């Protein structure tokens, strides 16, 4: 199913693209560019992870196109059979050098399964040259370098899903992995009218010196999932990135949660407890920090966790670090958005 939306009130033109050599330089400096330096059999061991099987779903999986700012953009929608009118929408943004199919698999297709179980549309937008224009000033990503208006793109996606599927424009939530998590942060900063909550994975708030977003100051419920051994986003804060290049300074996990909690006007004395939402036995290696209130903030800290979306189906390549058997991240995010089932 295909639709067309023009947001610049003018004629559609070909997508803007930088010369190939400039794109190559940007790619070389990206996170994945650093990871592929690992060579030989050891590199293959670190980089390989078998893809999970796509589940059979009582839903349609549709790739759609839009015209936004003179560019053809795409998104993938998982629409449950018998979807009710004004159903919620969960936007899931992929990481850099990933795509919609990649983040579906990285989440173990759990957002798809939960869409059917809970009655929402799972939407996977495609980034510009596989990247998003988040808040960080120092990323080498094409979407930032070409100043792509991804907020306008997301608005167009939400409007299109409402038109095609009868979904709500008032119950829209955003999550994402890494660069995709930072895209959800941008929406909370600059488009709080569009999203009613966000849940970034492996993405801490940018440090003030690395943040170009113009915050509205509005309170947006926020859930972070961060691993203590993340090789790209340092749990304790500081310079993010790999040997492939810097992604600029980020806050620590605790600073990120406290920063949003203070902005949301919450009690700054959080409750901290062990957490598990799976059937795994034994003591959990996940702790949840809760700032309660009208616009709550949660921080799931995964001891030994890496740059992943923890889920019971799929583990990212070993180079991304560890995961946990105790946290179904997509289920936690959907419960945060829609309330516990």
């Amino acid at each position: 199913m295909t639709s067309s939306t023009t947001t610049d009130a003018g004629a559609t033109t070909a997508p803007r693209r930088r010369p190939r050599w400039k794109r190559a330089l940007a790619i070389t400096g990206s996170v994945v560019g650093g990871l592929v330096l690992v060579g030989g059999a050891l590199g293959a061991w670190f980089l390989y992870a078998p893809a999970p099987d796509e589940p059979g779903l009582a839903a349609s999986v549709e790739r759609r196109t839009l015209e936004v700012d003179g560019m053809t953009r795409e998104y993938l929608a998982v629409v449950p059979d018998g979807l009710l009118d004004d159903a919620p929408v969960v936007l899931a943004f992929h990481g850099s050098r990933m795509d919609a199919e990649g983040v579906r698999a990285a989440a173990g297709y759990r957002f798809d399964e939960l869409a059917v179980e809970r009655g929402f549309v799972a939407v996977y937008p495609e980034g510009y040259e596989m990247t998003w224009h988040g808040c960080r000033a120092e990323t080498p990503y094409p979407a930032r370098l070409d100043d792509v208006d991804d907020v306008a793109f997301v608005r167009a996606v939400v409007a299109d899903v409402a038109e095609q599927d009868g979904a709500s424009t008032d119950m829209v939530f955003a999550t994402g992995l890494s660069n995709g998590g930072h895209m959800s942060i941008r929406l909370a900063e600059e488009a709080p009218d569009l999203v009613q909550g966000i849940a970034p994975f492996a993405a801490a708030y940018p440090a003030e010196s690395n943040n170009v977003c113009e915050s509205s100051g509005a309170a947006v419920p926020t859930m972070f999932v961060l691993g203590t051994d993340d090789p790209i986003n340092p749990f304790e804060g500081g310079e993010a990135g790999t040997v492939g290049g810097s992604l600029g300074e980020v806050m620590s996990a605790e600073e990120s949660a406290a920063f949003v909690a203070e902005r949301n006007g919450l009690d700054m004395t959080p409750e901290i407890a062990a957490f598990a939402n799976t059937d795994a036995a034994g003591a959990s290696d996940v702790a949840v920090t809760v700032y309660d209130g009208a616009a709550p903030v949660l921080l799931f800290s995964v001891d030994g966790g890496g740059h992943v979306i923890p889920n019971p189906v799929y583990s990212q390549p070993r180079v991304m670090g560890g995961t946990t058997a105790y946290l179904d991240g997509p289920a936690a995010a959907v419960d945060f958005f829609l309330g516990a089932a």
Side-chain angles (χ1 to χ4, degrees):
M1 189 176 297
T2 302
S3 62
S4 179
T5 302
T6 301
T7 62
D8 58 357
T12 299
T13 62
R16 299 175 308 227
R17 291 190 180 266
R18 289 169 288 116
R20 289 182 180 273
W21 68 270
K22 289 186 178 179
R23 298 205 305 271
L25 284 178
I27 293 171
T28 300
S30 72
V31 171
V32 174
L35 298 179
V36 298
L37 295 176
V38 183
L42 181 61
W45 185 83
F46 273 107
L47 293 169
Y48 174 71
D53 293 330
E54 184 171 349
L57 298 169
S60 61
V61 180
E62 304 175 5
R63 181 166 288 275
R64 301 168 178 172
T65 61
L66 295 167
E67 297 297 323
V68 181
D69 283 346
M71 292 187 290
T72 300
R73 304 293 301 267
E74 298 184 359
Y75 72 93
L76 188 150
V78 178
V79 185
D81 297 344
L83 184 74
L84 298 178
D85 289 341
D86 292 321
V89 175
V90 175
L91 304 161
F93 297 97
H94 61 74
S96 67
R97 307 304 157 196
M98 195 182 250
D99 58 14
E101 292 292 355
V103 77
R104 288 178 73 207
Y109 295 100
R110 291 290 292 133
F111 286 115
D112 295 12
E113 293 173 333
L114 290 160
V116 174
E117 293 173 16
R118 302 291 300 271
F120 63 85
V121 184
V123 176
Y124 302 89
E126 293 276 15
Y128 173 79
E129 296 191 21
M130 305 176 81
T131 62
W132 298 105
H133 190 178
C135 291
R136 290 175 295 176
E138 299 181 32
T139 56
Y141 301 142
R144 183 189 68 82
L145 297 176
D146 285 359
D147 196 25
V148 173
D149 190 348
D150 277 327
V151 174
F153 171 49
V154 175
R155 288 190 183 280
V157 168
V158 169
D160 198 54
V161 173
E163 180 180 352
Q164 296 208 43
D165 307 307
S168 175
T169 57
D170 296 323
M171 294 186 64
V172 179
F173 307 91
T175 184
L177 172 62
S178 189
N179 183 212
H182 281 280
M183 184 62 215
S184 74
I185 289 173
R186 177 154 217 157
L187 294 175
E189 290 279 282
E190 297 189 338
D193 62 307
L194 182 63
V195 291
Q196 283 63 60
I198 67 168
F201 288 82
Y205 250 72
E208 183 177 359
S209 62
N210 190 32
N211 191 343
V212 296
C213 280
E214 297 181 5
S215 177
S216 71
V220 177
T222 300
M223 177 187 123
F224 294 98
V225 180
L226 294 160
T228 63
D229 290 347
D230 190 321
I232 296 171
N233 183 98
F235 188 82
E236 299 298 334
E239 185 177 12
T242 69
V243 293
S246 173
L247 299 173
E249 299 281 326
V250 295
M251 297 181 187
S252 72
E254 293 180 356
E255 288 169 342
S256 295
F259 171 79
V260 181
E262 183 174 15
R263 186 183 66 191
N264 287 6
L266 304 178
D267 183 341
M268 295 306 293
T269 305
E271 295 184 2
I272 305 174
F275 181 87
N277 66 346
T278 70
D279 294 331
S284 177
D285 53 8
V286 179
V288 60
T289 301
V290 179
Y291 293 88
D292 204 6
V297 175
L298 273 60
L299 165 62
F300 289 92
S301 302
V302 181
D303 189 20
H307 204 70
V308 303
I309 299 175
N311 68 84
V313 179
Y314 176 66
S315 298
Q316 293 268 14
R318 293 176 180 90
V319 72
M320 292 297 189
T323 186
T324 175
Y326 296 94
L327 177 61
D328 183 340
V334 170
D335 282 348
F336 181 68
F337 295 152
L338 304 181

